[in-house]
């Protein structure tokens, strides 16, 4: 007798499987991912002298901040957070960043791209494709060196982009802050090599094994607040090479690029000059989960113009010291 065709799980059923334990003796997928991330954070706090958590106000760093609260509760988070501010961020995200930092009581360090431009350290790009996104690398490396941070937590995940998929959970950077894929250290089971010489540092990615859908499931389970731009709203945009960019004074717009108003939301938050929106009517977390479960395009592939400049755009930036 032929096998009976298997029924595909509905979005609701998939959501239930992800967030709820199969029985009282087993952990759910989210429980396992959370436990791994907490272990990594505690390992870094124990092994490194001056760690810092990179915090942009985006969904991944919001989850990271929540994990840090859990990892060291009831004590305070034992390291500061740092935002690399291009000066061209979404206002809604900046307001959220300051509010969330005030709620947690954690110390905020801002590495300012504008200050580097004013000091002549980097040059402001001009023209149709001008963006300060790449200038973040210089501000980040200077801040890491200035504060002598030897480990920096990042919210990158392997499912975001192929260069990020290559990175270890503990990603070694040399004395110039550069990443060399062939020089990365092996990671066997949960054994991490934490040795660094003076000037070297480690980027640590506790969310490496999470997916975008895991992040949204965790946001819902933990009832985490988010910047409003993650939810569908009416916004003035224009289309460039298939990406919906917000009409704003920081973006050079050609005469033939027409501004129109439509319902959109953001899958990532970053510099306004290179971060695109997606058409959406998802105004609630269940709506967003259904939307993410149905899409076959990664968030960076769909919304980040800076990743389209070349086939290896992200890998090139990471070699220079990018996040």
């Amino acid at each position: 007798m032929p096998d009976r065709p298997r029924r595909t799980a509905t979005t609701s059923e998939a959501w239930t499987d992800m967030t709820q334990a199969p029985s009282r003796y087993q952990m759910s997928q989210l429980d396992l991912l959370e436990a791994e991330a907490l272990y990594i954070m505690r390992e870094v706090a124990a092994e490194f002298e001056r760690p810092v958590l990179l915090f942009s106000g985006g969904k991944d760093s919001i989850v990271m901040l929540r994990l840090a609260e859990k990892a060291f509760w009831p004590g305070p988070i034992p390291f500061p957070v740092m935002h690399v501010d291009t000066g061209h961020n979404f206002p809604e995200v900046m307001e959220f960043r300051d509010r969330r930092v005030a709620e947690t009581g954690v110390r905020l360090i801002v590495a300012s791209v504008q200050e580097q431009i004013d000091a002549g350290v980097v040059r402001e790009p001009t023209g149709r494709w001008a963006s300060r996104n790449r200038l973040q690398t210089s501000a980040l490396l200077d801040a890491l060196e200035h504060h002598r941070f030897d480990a920096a937590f990042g919210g990158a995940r392997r499912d975001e982009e192929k260069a990020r998929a290559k990175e270890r959970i503990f990603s070694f950077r040399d004395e110039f802050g550069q990443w060399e894929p062939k020089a990365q250290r092996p990671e066997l089971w949960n054994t991490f090599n934490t040795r660094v010489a003076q000037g070297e540092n480690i980027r640590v990615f506790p969310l490496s094994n999470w997916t975008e859908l895991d992040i949204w499931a965790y946001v819902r389970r933990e009832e985490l607040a988010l910047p409003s731009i993650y939810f569908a709203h009416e916004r003035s945009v224009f289309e460039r090479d298939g990406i919906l960019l917000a009409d704003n004074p920081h973006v050079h717009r050609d005469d033939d690029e027409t501004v129109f108003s439509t319902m959109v939301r953001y899958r990532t938050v970053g510099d306004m000059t290179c971060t695109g929106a997606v058409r959406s009517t998802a105004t609630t977390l269940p709506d967003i989960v259904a939307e993410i479960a149905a899409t076959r395009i990664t968030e960076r592939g769909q919304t980040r113009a800076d990743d389209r400049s070349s086939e290896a755009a992200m890998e090139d930036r990471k070699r220079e010291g990018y996040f």
Side-chain angles (χ1 to χ4, degrees), residues 3 16 39 48 60 78 83 93 98 135 147 179 186 203 228 236 253 259 265 277-278 309:
D3 293 338
T16 300
Y39 165 75
F48 290 89
D60 301 306
H83 182 212
V93 178
D98 293 339
L135 303 185
H147 294 281
W179 176 63
R203 307 288 172 82
S228 58
S236 295
R253 182 168 53 80
V259 174
R265 73 174 195 86
V278 295
S309 59

Side-chain angles (χ1 to χ4, degrees), residues 265 280-293:
R265 73 174 195 86
S280 174
T281 57
T283 57
T284 66
L285 286 175
D287 292 342
I288 292 173
V289 169
E291 195 174 87
I292 297 301

Side-chain angles (χ1 to χ4, degrees), residues 46-73:
E47 294 290 337
F48 290 89
E49 294 184 5
R50 299 177 69 86
V52 65
L53 191 154
L54 302 178
F55 183 73
S56 66
K59 63 183 186 308
D60 301 306
S61 56
I62 290 169
V63 167
M64 291 279 288
L65 193 59
R66 176 61 172 164
L67 292 168
E69 288 182 303
K70 282 194 169 186
F72 305 105
W73 190 89

Side-chain angles (χ1 to χ4, degrees), residues 1-56:
M1 179 181 291
D3 293 338
R4 181 178 296 176
R6 297 182 62 184
R7 187 174 64 87
T8 303
T10 65
T11 300
S12 175
E13 290 168 338
W15 178 271
T16 300
D17 290 344
M18 180 184 298
T19 57
Q20 295 183 1
S23 78
R24 60 184 298 186
Y25 303 110
Q26 292 180 293
M27 299 173 73
S28 72
Q29 178 179 331
L30 285 184
D31 291 334
L32 291 170
L33 290 170
E34 180 189 66
E36 180 188 57
L38 298 185
Y39 165 75
I40 292 168
M41 286 193 163
R42 290 166 180 158
E43 182 78 356
V44 169
E47 294 290 337
F48 290 89
E49 294 184 5
R50 299 177 69 86
V52 65
L53 191 154
L54 302 178
F55 183 73
S56 66

Side-chain angles (χ1 to χ4, degrees), residues 4 42 180 196 272 276:
R4 181 178 296 176
R42 290 166 180 158
E180 172 51 61
V196 291
M272 294 178 72

Side-chain angles (χ1 to χ4, degrees), residues 130-146:
S131 171
R132 291 182 174 182
N133 195 55
R134 194 160 190 156
L135 303 185
Q136 293 180 96
T137 301
S138 177
L140 170 65
L141 296 181
D142 277 3
L144 291 175
E145 182 179 2
H146 175 75

Side-chain angles (χ1 to χ4, degrees), residues 1 8 24 38 42-43 67 81 92 97 103 111 113 115 119 140 167 186 198 201 243 255 263 287 292:
M1 179 181 291
T8 303
R24 60 184 298 186
L38 298 185
R42 290 166 180 158
E43 182 78 356
L67 292 168
V81 300
E92 298 96 325
R97 180 201 71 179
E103 289 172 352
V113 171
E115 289 181 4
L140 170 65
E167 291 227 53
Q198 188 171 11
N201 63 78
I243 292 182
D255 293 338
M263 287 288 285
D287 292 342
I292 297 301

